[in-house]
């Protein structure tokens, strides 16, 4: 079926391939990716776009010696495929199978674990400096997308790299996309470069002539002409001005050109930024036409493509609720960090474009930007995945909570998200938000409650975080229509034992009740912080045994706060806290992970039975 791919078992097999062979291999790789990712799910568009670039890197460099860091890492599938992991793709992102991101413990060809954005240049620069300190000789390469280049850490690393002139190659894989379309000044700048190829043609000719002339007078004159062209076509070469050699843009799907330039830059003894223009979804028409939809996919049929679901999810419920509330309140504004579609904000963006702000992959900036809006009496809502909000903890503490500014954090993908693995599991937000003074943390038990929670958050007029999981409801509940301040809801009355559950764990608790064969009280912890101290005191006085359920880390989590509160009341009975132990949760389907972590219905029921026996 594959003309060349079946003969590739390691990077060494690529070294002697002809240009014609590489072109055929690129077609094989795309066919392989489409056939396999359609069966397992995974990141598709970015990987289809980086095929030729990956082939050129493997042909030019020796990754038995050289090192490479992929930013975010969701575009590493061709690299994994061509570095001896072809047979592992049948288990891509499955529990116990190959990760969808680079993993150092998976292969000697993976040099840094990635999964979040904008850190590749920093990591690669550390490797390059270590090389120089040890007096060794190898190449270090960072591959960063234009979306990741909107993150602040990337700019910090470029500043350091250009100032110290460390020998290193930064490849800017420019496809105009992150998950959503890129925004911001850097995106506009790169677009300006892309549409002015004439500048680069002139630049190459001038440089060639400079190298052939010895006359200082002539050289200085030509340099002035060169600078004038720079001002004419680009105003200012950002990378050159930072002290980095900029080369590009070049066609990221032209293997001949890629190979020629790669050979040239590998011989340069300075920091180089190589600007490569690629097309996300290349080679699959449906992905080319709709790159947003094909960024990350579940299993799908190659002929019909990815089908959008009409199921009500927490994300879609949030988006609908915010649009409805914004209709009546012009002070409501929405903020995203390059995740409009993922967080359900696309309708808000189309209806209220003047009140919608996409700041790029810059969560720290988004938090402080929201704080600034709040000082002027707007009602900012920052919609963000739990794992990505981690990058804004400092700003939450100093710029929002310390001033008690009314910023609402709509935290999507809280809890386990599954196949993306350790870097994407949203299990830490309860812990890192609960420690912050002035912060209110809430969790709805079903999507239909989102409207009431948002309404309450705006009424409260202080920092509020509303956390909710990926997907939809896991149990049929009658939703709350109104939130009582700092009060929990008793979902089912019972005796002897009280199960206090957070968010989607309420549905799990109701299913656990059927397994136990007893009648526990089931309580929805509407507020994770502050706790319902009145109800907790009553439970203690009535000698209930207490079990807490949370879709988050146990250390610093909801259960630990309940335990601390009960100590205040002198409660002497044991308390069972159920959540995730002190480790990172691997990749796999949520159902498998819940079972492995013993937070599925059967695992929880067994823990409670053992608890009651003791």
């Amino acid at each position: 079926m594959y003309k060349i791919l079946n003969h590739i078992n390691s990077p060494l097999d690529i070294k002697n391939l002809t240009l014609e062979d590489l072109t055929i291999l690129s077609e094989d790789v795309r066919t392989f990716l489409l056939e396999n990712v359609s069966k397992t799910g995974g990141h598709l568009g970015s990987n289809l776009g980086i095929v030729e670039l990956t082939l050129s890197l493997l042909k030019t460099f020796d990754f038995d010696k050289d090192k490479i860091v992929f930013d975010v890492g969701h575009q590493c599938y061709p690299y994994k495929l061509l570095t001896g992991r072809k047979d592992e793709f049948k288990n891509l992102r499955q529990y116990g199978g190959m990760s969808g991101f680079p993993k150092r413990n998976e292969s000697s060809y993976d040099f840094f674990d990635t999964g979040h954005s904008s850190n590749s240049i920093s990591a690669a620069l550390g490797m390059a400096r270590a090389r120089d300190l040890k007096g060794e000789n190898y190449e270090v390469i960072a591959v960063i997308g234009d979306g990741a280049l909107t993150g602040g850490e990337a700019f910090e690393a470029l500043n350091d790299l250009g100032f110290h002139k460390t020998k290193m190659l930064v490849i800017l894989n420019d496809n105009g996309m992150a998950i959503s379309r890129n925004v911001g000044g850097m995106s506009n700048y790169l677009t300006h470069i892309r549409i002015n190829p004439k500048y680069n043609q002139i630049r190459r000719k001038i440089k060639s002539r400079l190298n052939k002339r010895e006359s200082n007078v002539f050289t200085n004159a030509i340099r002035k002409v060169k600078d004038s062209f720079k001002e004419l076509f680009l105003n200012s070469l950002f990378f050159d001005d930072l002290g980095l050699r900029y080369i590009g843009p070049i066609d990221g799907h032209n293997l001949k050109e890629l190979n020629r330039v790669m050979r040239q830059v590998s011989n340069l003894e300075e920091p180089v930024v190589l600007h490569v223009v690629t097309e996300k979804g290349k080679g699959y028409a449906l992905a080319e036409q709709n790159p947003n939809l094909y960024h990350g996919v579940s299993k799908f049929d190659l002929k019909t493509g990815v089908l959008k679901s009409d199921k009500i999810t927490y994300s879609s419920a949030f988006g609908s609720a915010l649009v409805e509330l914004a209709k009546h309140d012009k002070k409501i504004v929405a903020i995203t960090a390059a995740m409009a579609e993922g967080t359900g904000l696309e309708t808000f963006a189309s209806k209220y474009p003047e009140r919608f702000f996409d700041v790029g992959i810059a969560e720290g900036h988004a938090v402080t930007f929201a704080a600034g809006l709040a000082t002027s009496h707007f009602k900012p809502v920052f919609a963000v995945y739990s794992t990505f909000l981690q990058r804004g903890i400092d700003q939450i503490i100093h710029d929002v909570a310390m001033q008690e500014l009314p910023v609402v954090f709509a935290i999507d993908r809280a809890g386990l998200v599954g196949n993306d693995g350790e870097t994407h599991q949203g299990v830490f937000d309860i812990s890192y938000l609960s420690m912050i003074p002035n912060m209110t943390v809430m969790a709805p038990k079903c999507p239909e409650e989102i409207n009431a929670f948002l309404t309450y958050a705006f009424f409260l007029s202080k920092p509020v975080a509303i956390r909710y999981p990926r997907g939809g409801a896991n149990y049929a509940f009658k939703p709350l229509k109104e939130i009582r301040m700092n009060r929990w809801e008793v979902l089912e009355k019972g005796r002897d034992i009280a199960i206090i559950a957070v968010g989607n764990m309420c549905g799990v608790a109701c299913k656990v009740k059927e397994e136990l064969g007893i009648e526990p009280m089931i309580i929805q912890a509407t507020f994770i912080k502050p706790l319902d101290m009145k109800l907790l005191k009553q439970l203690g006085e009535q000698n209930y045994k207490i079990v807490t359920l949370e879709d988050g880390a146990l250390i610093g989590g909801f259960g630990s706060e309940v335990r601390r509160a009960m100590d205040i009341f002198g409660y002497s009975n044991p308390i069972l806290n159920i959540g995730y132990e002190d480790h990172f949760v691997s990749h796999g389907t949520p159902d498998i992970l819940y079972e492995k972590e013993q937070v599925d219905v059967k695992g929880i029921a067994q823990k409670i039975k053992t608890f009651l026996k003791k």
Side-chain angles (χ1 to χ4, degrees):
M1 177 169 47
Y2 305 114
K3 296 177 181 177
I4 295 196
L5 182 59
N6 287 336
H7 303 291
I8 305 298
N9 298 306
S10 78
L12 288 175
D13 297 327
I14 296 174
K15 296 298 183 184
N16 296 322
L17 294 182
T18 65
L19 182 62
E20 182 182 358
D21 291 336
L22 289 172
T23 302
I24 295 171
L25 180 56
S26 69
E27 296 172 359
D28 282 355
V29 170
R30 283 198 173 87
T31 300
F32 181 93
L33 292 178
L34 285 166
E35 290 175 347
N36 282 268
V37 175
S38 64
K39 295 174 184 175
T40 62
H43 290 96
L44 185 61
S46 55
N47 285 293
L48 292 175
I50 201 174
V51 173
E52 287 86 1
L53 177 54
T54 303
L55 286 171
S56 185
L57 283 164
L58 289 168
K59 184 168 178 62
T60 306
F61 298 97
D62 177 7
F63 293 112
D64 286 305
K65 178 184 67 173
D66 301 326
K67 299 180 187 295
I68 187 169
V69 180
F70 289 95
D71 209 289
V72 182
H74 61 304
Q75 77 284 49
C76 70
Y77 294 7
Y79 179 79
K80 289 195 174 197
L81 173 59
L82 298 167
T83 52
R85 286 171 273 183
K86 179 170 57 180
D87 293 339
E88 301 299 320
F89 271 81
K90 61 181 180 295
N91 297 316
L92 176 68
R93 302 167 79 243
Q94 308 305 304
Y95 185 77
M98 185 171 68
S99 171
F101 296 94
K103 294 289 178 187
R104 293 170 66 222
N105 63 5
E106 181 182 289
S107 170
S108 61
Y109 289 108
D110 289 354
F111 302 98
F112 200 82
D113 291 10
T114 51
H116 275 199
S117 170
S118 310
N119 64 347
S120 63
I121 305 174
S122 297
L125 183 54
M127 294 175 185
R129 295 265 169 81
R131 172 202 63 200
D132 296 344
L133 285 169
K134 293 192 290 184
E136 296 177 343
N137 181 28
Y138 54 82
E139 302 297 326
V140 180
I141 302 158
V143 179
I144 184 168
D146 49 324
L149 202 60
T150 62
E153 187 179 354
F155 286 94
E156 295 172 19
L158 286 171
N159 179 62
D160 185 355
L161 176 61
F163 181 75
H164 288 98
K165 304 290 186 184
T166 304
K167 174 178 166 55
M168 191 180 108
L169 173 60
V170 177
I171 295 179
L172 173 54
N173 178 27
D174 177 6
N175 59 26
M177 299 284 296
I179 295 176
S180 304
R181 285 284 175 191
N182 285 330
V183 297
M186 178 54 70
S187 177
N188 290 339
Y189 175 79
L190 294 175
T191 300
H192 192 53
I193 295 177
R194 285 195 298 270
I195 64 177
N196 281 278
K198 187 175 179 182
Y199 165 76
N200 292 282
Q201 294 169 12
I202 294 171
R203 188 171 185 259
R204 283 194 293 269
K205 290 179 181 178
I206 292 172
K207 184 173 180 181
S208 175
R209 291 181 183 179
L210 283 174
N211 292 336
K212 294 177 182 177
R213 299 282 180 172
E214 294 182 0
S215 167
N216 288 334
V217 175
F218 183 80
T219 298
N220 290 335
I222 292 294
R223 283 202 177 108
K224 288 179 181 179
V225 175
K226 174 187 169 186
D227 290 340
S228 70
F229 275 116
K230 182 170 76 171
E231 295 300 320
L232 174 64
F233 288 106
L234 290 181
N235 299 321
S236 173
L237 276 173
F238 171 79
F239 299 107
D240 279 358
D241 291 343
L242 274 180
L244 306 165
R245 169 74 70 87
Y246 171 86
I247 298 173
I250 65 171
D251 182 354
H253 303 297
N254 184 329
L255 277 163
K256 183 178 180 180
E257 178 74 356
L258 279 169
N259 291 340
R260 181 186 67 80
V261 176
M262 286 290 185
R263 287 193 301 270
Q264 291 178 345
V265 298
S266 67
N267 294 319
L268 296 176
E269 297 294 323
E270 60 185 320
V272 176
V273 174
L274 175 59
H275 184 180
V276 180
V277 179
T278 60
E279 181 182 5
K280 197 168 185 177
K282 177 75 172 176
Y284 184 49
L286 294 173
E288 291 174 357
Q289 295 160 11
N290 197 344
N292 289 358
L293 187 60
Y294 287 86
H295 172 77
V297 296
S298 301
K299 299 177 185 180
F300 69 98
D301 182 88
L302 278 172
K303 292 182 179 179
T304 58
V306 174
L307 302 177
K308 287 188 176 181
S309 173
D310 294 328
K311 180 183 177 182
I312 295 176
T313 64
Y314 282 91
S315 302
S316 61
F318 160 73
S320 299
L322 194 65
V323 166
E324 183 62 28
L325 292 169
K327 185 192 303 181
H328 307 289
D329 189 342
K330 293 184 178 180
K331 292 291 186 181
I332 293 175
V333 296
I335 302 165
T336 183
M339 299 290 290
E341 289 81 7
T343 57
L345 284 176
E346 61 267 43
T347 302
F348 188 102
S350 63
K351 282 186 174 290
Y352 307 111
E354 73 285 354
R355 288 192 270 160
F356 171 76
F357 305 99
D358 186 343
V359 300
I361 303 178
E363 288 81 3
H365 162 57
V367 173
T368 304
F369 172 65
L373 283 162
T375 63
S376 296
H377 309 293
F378 280 91
K379 300 177 181 179
V381 179
F382 179 26
V384 59
Y385 289 7
S386 169
T387 184
F388 298 152
L389 185 58
Q390 291 164 188
R391 297 198 289 253
I393 293 175
D394 181 75
Q395 289 77 17
I396 295 172
I397 294 172
H398 289 275
D399 300 333
V400 175
M402 217 174 263
Q403 302 179 74
E404 206 164 351
L405 291 171
V407 175
V408 177
F409 299 94
I411 305 176
D412 205 322
R413 269 63 165 182
L416 293 187
V417 298
N419 301 99
D420 282 334
E422 297 96 325
T423 55
H424 284 59
Q425 312 289 16
V427 298
F428 302 114
D429 56 88
I430 293 176
S431 300
Y432 68 70
L433 290 171
S434 294
M435 71 177 181
I436 302 174
N438 297 330
M439 179 66 68
T440 295
V441 186
M442 308 172 69
K445 64 180 179 291
C446 59
E448 293 79 8
E449 288 184 342
I450 291 280
N451 191 299
F453 276 67
L454 279 172
T455 300
Y456 178 83
F458 290 132
F459 159 76
L460 201 59
S461 194
K462 61 186 295 186
V464 177
I466 305 171
R467 77 182 302 265
Y468 44 88
R470 182 179 191 172
N474 60 6
Y475 197 82
F477 283 112
K478 181 180 179 181
L480 289 171
K481 297 298 182 185
E482 188 176 356
I483 307 298
R484 297 182 301 155
M485 182 176 286
N486 302 346
R487 291 290 176 264
W488 295 343
E489 301 298 322
V490 176
L491 300 177
E492 295 188 22
K493 294 183 179 180
R495 50 195 171 87
D496 298 329
I497 179 173
I499 302 176
I500 309 171
V502 170
N504 65 318
M505 298 305 286
C506 292
V508 177
C510 291
K511 295 175 184 177
V512 166
K513 179 178 179 178
E514 299 168 8
E515 287 275 329
L516 289 175
I518 58 176
E519 295 295 320
M521 178 187 292
I522 297 178
I523 299 168
Q524 175 190 2
T526 315
F527 291 85
I528 297 171
K529 183 189 180 185
L531 303 177
D532 186 339
M533 299 298 279
K534 182 178 180 181
L535 181 52
L536 283 175
K537 186 177 182 182
Q538 289 176 357
L539 293 175
E541 290 171 347
Q542 295 171 18
N543 207 33
Y544 273 86
K545 297 178 181 66
I546 294 176
V547 176
T548 66
L549 296 182
E550 59 191 301
D551 197 8
L554 287 172
I555 296 178
F558 171 73
S560 68
E561 287 302 295
V562 169
R563 188 183 292 271
R564 191 167 70 90
M566 297 310 288
D567 283 344
I568 295 172
F569 299 133
Y571 180 78
S572 58
N573 284 337
I575 296 173
L576 175 62
N577 300 138
I578 298 177
Y580 305 117
E581 298 291 347
D582 186 21
H583 62 258
F584 291 104
V585 180
S586 181
H587 58 273
T589 63
D591 287 344
I592 288 177
L593 295 178
Y594 285 133
E595 180 184 348
K596 296 295 181 181
E597 297 292 324
Q598 294 184 291
V599 291
D600 62 326
V601 172
K602 288 186 177 180
I604 292 170
Q606 185 57 52
K607 285 183 177 181
I608 292 176
K609 288 176 183 178
T610 303
F611 170 70
L612 293 177
K613 285 180 182 178
K614 290 182 179 179

